[in-house]
Amino acid sequence: FMYSGRANRSECGMHSHAARAASMQRAAASQHRTMELPVLPCGACEEVNPGNFDEVVLQAQQDTLVEFYSPLCGHCHAFAP
């Protein structure tokens, strides 16, 4: 999920990340930058987003495992591949 300025677009479902997102936005603004979300590097993974979810997951010819996580969540990062 990508952060879109609304706290519920960056949630993992375990807890709110609004405070961390707001802090990251303030830090980026103070340096005249755009806030960038952390990523979990994985050479064997494919990033799925609302624009390609149907094609990559629902129309896949084989079983597909999808892991949803928030890029702002330390607990989610612990489940990284």
Side-chain angles (χ1 to χ4, degrees), residues 18-35:
R20 182 164 184 210
S23 174
M24 291 172 70
Q25 281 185 316
R26 285 191 302 275
S30 73
Q31 299 173 9
H32 305 288
R33 297 182 299 114
T34 302
M35 182 179 94

Side-chain angles (χ1 to χ4, degrees), residues 37-47 67 69-71 76-81:
L37 293 172
V39 297
L40 297 175
C42 175
C45 300
E46 181 171 349
E47 184 172 326
E67 177 183 7
Y69 76 96
S70 170
C76 292
H77 283 245
F79 291 110

Side-chain angles (χ1 to χ4, degrees), residues 48-61:
V48 178
N49 57 56
N52 69 1
F53 187 86
D54 188 58
E55 176 187 348
V56 174
V57 177
L58 300 179
Q59 296 178 16
Q61 298 300 310

Side-chain angles (χ1 to χ4, degrees), residues 6-24:
R6 297 180 311 212
N8 65 346
R9 297 283 292 152
S10 66
E11 304 303 311
C12 66
M14 292 176 56
H15 47 261
S16 174
H17 304 115
R20 182 164 184 210
S23 174
M24 291 172 70

